[in-house]
Amino acid sequence: MAYHKVQDILELVESFHKQMRHALDQVSQEADSDGVEWLSKELRQHELHWQAALAGYEKQVAEGVLDTWLQYFPDEEVRHQIDSIEIKQGMTIEELTDLNGRFRQALIDLYETLSQASSAPRVHDLFQQLLEHEQSVVSKQSRKQQDSELVENRSRKRA
């Protein structure tokens, strides 16, 4: 079983964010859809918040957390989940929202696993913080989607 540094894991997660954002950017440029543009903007905004949260955490903890080695990292499982997310031109906002949900769930699963597997308190806290942040993003996006559906349903009833 390979060992991984916390920093390497976070760099991999950052690359997942960039892959997802790049794919959405490509689709939003090719499709003139408010929904695709909204989802792309949401992902970009989340990525900036994720980087800011991580930078803030790095300042608060003593050096060494990012250099901590972890024995268990479910990279094969996570890579499979992330790689199965394929964004194509012409997808509906519902399909893209579903893919975004699968992306978020893969990250939640990863953070939860790493939080539970870590015996170092600061590393556990880092992954727990990232887990809670990701869960709050999912919750916020779910509320926005429900609000959007309510407005859409009300508009249909009036028409």
Side-chain angles (χ1 to χ4, degrees), residues 88-111:
K88 301 174 189 170
Q89 187 175 356
M91 293 182 101
T92 66
I93 188 62
E94 290 82 14
E95 291 170 322
L96 290 167
T97 302
D98 177 61
L99 291 179
N100 185 50
R102 288 178 36 212
F103 174 71
R104 301 272 172 234
Q105 190 59 51
L107 294 179
I108 286 171
D109 293 346
L110 172 65
Y111 295 147

Short mmCIF file of all heavy atoms in Angstrom, two decimals, residues 88-111:
data_model
loop_
_atom_site.label_atom_id
_atom_site.label_comp_id
_atom_site.label_asym_id
_atom_site.label_seq_id
_atom_site.Cartn_x
_atom_site.Cartn_y
_atom_site.Cartn_z
N LYS A 88 -20.63 16.43 -21.52
CA LYS A 88 -20.71 16.50 -22.97
C LYS A 88 -21.55 17.68 -23.40
O LYS A 88 -22.43 18.13 -22.68
CB LYS A 88 -21.35 15.22 -23.52
CG LYS A 88 -20.64 13.95 -23.17
CD LYS A 88 -21.45 12.77 -23.64
CE LYS A 88 -20.86 11.48 -23.09
NZ LYS A 88 -21.74 10.35 -23.33
N GLN A 89 -21.27 18.14 -24.59
CA GLN A 89 -22.07 19.22 -25.17
C GLN A 89 -23.51 18.74 -25.33
O GLN A 89 -23.78 17.60 -25.65
CB GLN A 89 -21.50 19.61 -26.53
CG GLN A 89 -22.15 20.83 -27.11
CD GLN A 89 -21.49 21.25 -28.40
OE1 GLN A 89 -20.49 20.68 -28.82
NE2 GLN A 89 -22.04 22.26 -29.03
N GLY A 90 -24.44 19.65 -25.07
CA GLY A 90 -25.85 19.33 -25.24
C GLY A 90 -26.51 18.73 -24.02
O GLY A 90 -27.69 18.39 -24.07
N MET A 91 -25.79 18.60 -22.91
CA MET A 91 -26.39 18.05 -21.70
C MET A 91 -27.36 19.07 -21.12
O MET A 91 -27.15 20.27 -21.20
CB MET A 91 -25.32 17.70 -20.66
CG MET A 91 -24.41 16.57 -21.07
SD MET A 91 -23.21 16.18 -19.79
CE MET A 91 -23.98 14.74 -19.09
N THR A 92 -28.42 18.55 -20.52
CA THR A 92 -29.38 19.43 -19.87
C THR A 92 -28.84 19.89 -18.53
O THR A 92 -27.90 19.28 -17.98
CB THR A 92 -30.72 18.69 -19.63
OG1 THR A 92 -30.50 17.65 -18.67
CG2 THR A 92 -31.29 18.14 -20.92
N ILE A 93 -29.43 20.93 -17.98
CA ILE A 93 -29.00 21.42 -16.68
C ILE A 93 -29.23 20.35 -15.61
O ILE A 93 -28.44 20.23 -14.67
CB ILE A 93 -29.69 22.75 -16.30
CG1 ILE A 93 -29.08 23.34 -15.01
CG2 ILE A 93 -31.18 22.58 -16.14
CD1 ILE A 93 -27.63 23.69 -15.11
N GLU A 94 -30.27 19.53 -15.78
CA GLU A 94 -30.53 18.44 -14.82
C GLU A 94 -29.39 17.42 -14.86
O GLU A 94 -28.94 16.95 -13.81
CB GLU A 94 -31.87 17.76 -15.12
CG GLU A 94 -33.08 18.61 -14.81
CD GLU A 94 -33.43 19.60 -15.92
OE1 GLU A 94 -32.90 19.50 -17.06
OE2 GLU A 94 -34.21 20.53 -15.64
N GLU A 95 -28.93 17.08 -16.06
CA GLU A 95 -27.83 16.13 -16.19
C GLU A 95 -26.54 16.71 -15.59
O GLU A 95 -25.81 16.01 -14.89
CB GLU A 95 -27.60 15.78 -17.67
CG GLU A 95 -28.71 14.95 -18.28
CD GLU A 95 -28.59 14.83 -19.79
OE1 GLU A 95 -28.19 15.81 -20.45
OE2 GLU A 95 -28.89 13.74 -20.31
N LEU A 96 -26.29 17.98 -15.87
CA LEU A 96 -25.09 18.62 -15.32
C LEU A 96 -25.16 18.75 -13.80
O LEU A 96 -24.16 18.55 -13.11
CB LEU A 96 -24.89 19.99 -15.97
CG LEU A 96 -24.49 19.96 -17.43
CD1 LEU A 96 -24.61 21.34 -18.06
CD2 LEU A 96 -23.08 19.42 -17.60
N THR A 97 -26.34 19.04 -13.30
CA THR A 97 -26.51 19.13 -11.85
C THR A 97 -26.28 17.77 -11.21
O THR A 97 -25.65 17.67 -10.15
CB THR A 97 -27.93 19.66 -11.51
OG1 THR A 97 -28.09 20.94 -12.13
CG2 THR A 97 -28.13 19.79 -10.03
N ASP A 98 -26.75 16.71 -11.86
CA ASP A 98 -26.52 15.36 -11.37
C ASP A 98 -25.02 15.04 -11.34
O ASP A 98 -24.51 14.49 -10.36
CB ASP A 98 -27.27 14.34 -12.23
CG ASP A 98 -27.00 12.92 -11.79
OD1 ASP A 98 -27.33 12.59 -10.63
OD2 ASP A 98 -26.45 12.12 -12.59
N LEU A 99 -24.32 15.40 -12.42
CA LEU A 99 -22.87 15.16 -12.46
C LEU A 99 -22.15 15.95 -11.39
O LEU A 99 -21.22 15.45 -10.74
CB LEU A 99 -22.31 15.51 -13.84
CG LEU A 99 -22.72 14.61 -14.99
CD1 LEU A 99 -22.10 15.10 -16.30
CD2 LEU A 99 -22.32 13.17 -14.73
N ASN A 100 -22.58 17.19 -11.17
CA ASN A 100 -21.99 18.01 -10.12
C ASN A 100 -22.22 17.36 -8.75
O ASN A 100 -21.32 17.33 -7.91
CB ASN A 100 -22.57 19.42 -10.16
CG ASN A 100 -21.90 20.33 -9.16
OD1 ASN A 100 -20.68 20.43 -9.10
ND2 ASN A 100 -22.70 21.00 -8.36
N GLY A 101 -23.41 16.81 -8.55
CA GLY A 101 -23.71 16.11 -7.30
C GLY A 101 -22.83 14.89 -7.11
O GLY A 101 -22.35 14.62 -6.00
N ARG A 102 -22.59 14.16 -8.18
CA ARG A 102 -21.70 12.99 -8.10
C ARG A 102 -20.27 13.41 -7.79
O ARG A 102 -19.56 12.75 -7.02
CB ARG A 102 -21.76 12.19 -9.40
CG ARG A 102 -23.07 11.45 -9.55
CD ARG A 102 -23.23 10.68 -10.84
NE ARG A 102 -22.04 10.08 -11.37
CZ ARG A 102 -21.80 9.91 -12.67
NH1 ARG A 102 -22.68 10.32 -13.55
NH2 ARG A 102 -20.69 9.34 -13.08
N PHE A 103 -19.83 14.53 -8.38
CA PHE A 103 -18.50 15.08 -8.11
C PHE A 103 -18.37 15.44 -6.63
O PHE A 103 -17.41 15.07 -5.96
CB PHE A 103 -18.28 16.31 -8.99
CG PHE A 103 -17.01 17.06 -8.72
CD1 PHE A 103 -15.78 16.52 -9.06
CD2 PHE A 103 -17.04 18.31 -8.12
CE1 PHE A 103 -14.60 17.21 -8.82
CE2 PHE A 103 -15.88 19.02 -7.88
CZ PHE A 103 -14.65 18.46 -8.23
N ARG A 104 -19.36 16.15 -6.13
CA ARG A 104 -19.35 16.56 -4.71
C ARG A 104 -19.36 15.34 -3.80
O ARG A 104 -18.67 15.31 -2.79
CB ARG A 104 -20.57 17.43 -4.40
CG ARG A 104 -20.65 18.66 -5.23
CD ARG A 104 -19.90 19.79 -4.58
NE ARG A 104 -19.86 20.90 -5.51
CZ ARG A 104 -18.75 21.49 -5.88
NH1 ARG A 104 -17.60 21.11 -5.38
NH2 ARG A 104 -18.75 22.48 -6.72
N GLN A 105 -20.16 14.34 -4.14
CA GLN A 105 -20.24 13.14 -3.30
C GLN A 105 -18.91 12.39 -3.28
O GLN A 105 -18.51 11.87 -2.23
CB GLN A 105 -21.37 12.21 -3.78
CG GLN A 105 -21.65 11.08 -2.81
CD GLN A 105 -22.03 11.57 -1.43
OE1 GLN A 105 -22.92 12.40 -1.27
NE2 GLN A 105 -21.36 11.06 -0.39
N ALA A 106 -18.21 12.37 -4.40
CA ALA A 106 -16.88 11.74 -4.43
C ALA A 106 -15.94 12.45 -3.47
O ALA A 106 -15.17 11.80 -2.74
CB ALA A 106 -16.32 11.75 -5.85
N LEU A 107 -15.99 13.77 -3.45
CA LEU A 107 -15.13 14.53 -2.53
C LEU A 107 -15.54 14.31 -1.08
O LEU A 107 -14.70 14.16 -0.20
CB LEU A 107 -15.15 16.02 -2.88
CG LEU A 107 -14.54 16.40 -4.22
CD1 LEU A 107 -14.65 17.90 -4.46
CD2 LEU A 107 -13.10 15.95 -4.34
N ILE A 108 -16.84 14.26 -0.82
CA ILE A 108 -17.33 14.01 0.54
C ILE A 108 -16.85 12.64 1.01
O ILE A 108 -16.35 12.49 2.13
CB ILE A 108 -18.87 14.12 0.59
CG1 ILE A 108 -19.28 15.59 0.51
CG2 ILE A 108 -19.44 13.47 1.85
CD1 ILE A 108 -20.76 15.83 0.34
N ASP A 109 -16.99 11.64 0.16
CA ASP A 109 -16.53 10.28 0.51
C ASP A 109 -15.04 10.28 0.81
O ASP A 109 -14.58 9.65 1.77
CB ASP A 109 -16.84 9.30 -0.61
CG ASP A 109 -18.33 9.06 -0.82
OD1 ASP A 109 -19.14 9.45 0.06
OD2 ASP A 109 -18.69 8.51 -1.88
N LEU A 110 -14.27 10.99 -0.02
CA LEU A 110 -12.82 11.05 0.17
C LEU A 110 -12.48 11.71 1.51
O LEU A 110 -11.71 11.16 2.30
CB LEU A 110 -12.17 11.84 -0.98
CG LEU A 110 -10.68 12.14 -0.80
CD1 LEU A 110 -9.87 10.85 -0.81
CD2 LEU A 110 -10.20 13.09 -1.89
N TYR A 111 -13.03 12.87 1.76
CA TYR A 111 -12.72 13.59 3.00
C TYR A 111 -13.14 12.80 4.23
O TYR A 111 -12.45 12.76 5.24
CB TYR A 111 -13.39 14.97 3.02
CG TYR A 111 -12.90 15.92 1.97
CD1 TYR A 111 -13.77 16.84 1.40
CD2 TYR A 111 -11.58 15.92 1.52
CE1 TYR A 111 -13.34 17.74 0.43
CE2 TYR A 111 -11.15 16.80 0.55
CZ TYR A 111 -12.03 17.71 0.01
OH TYR A 111 -11.60 18.59 -0.94
#
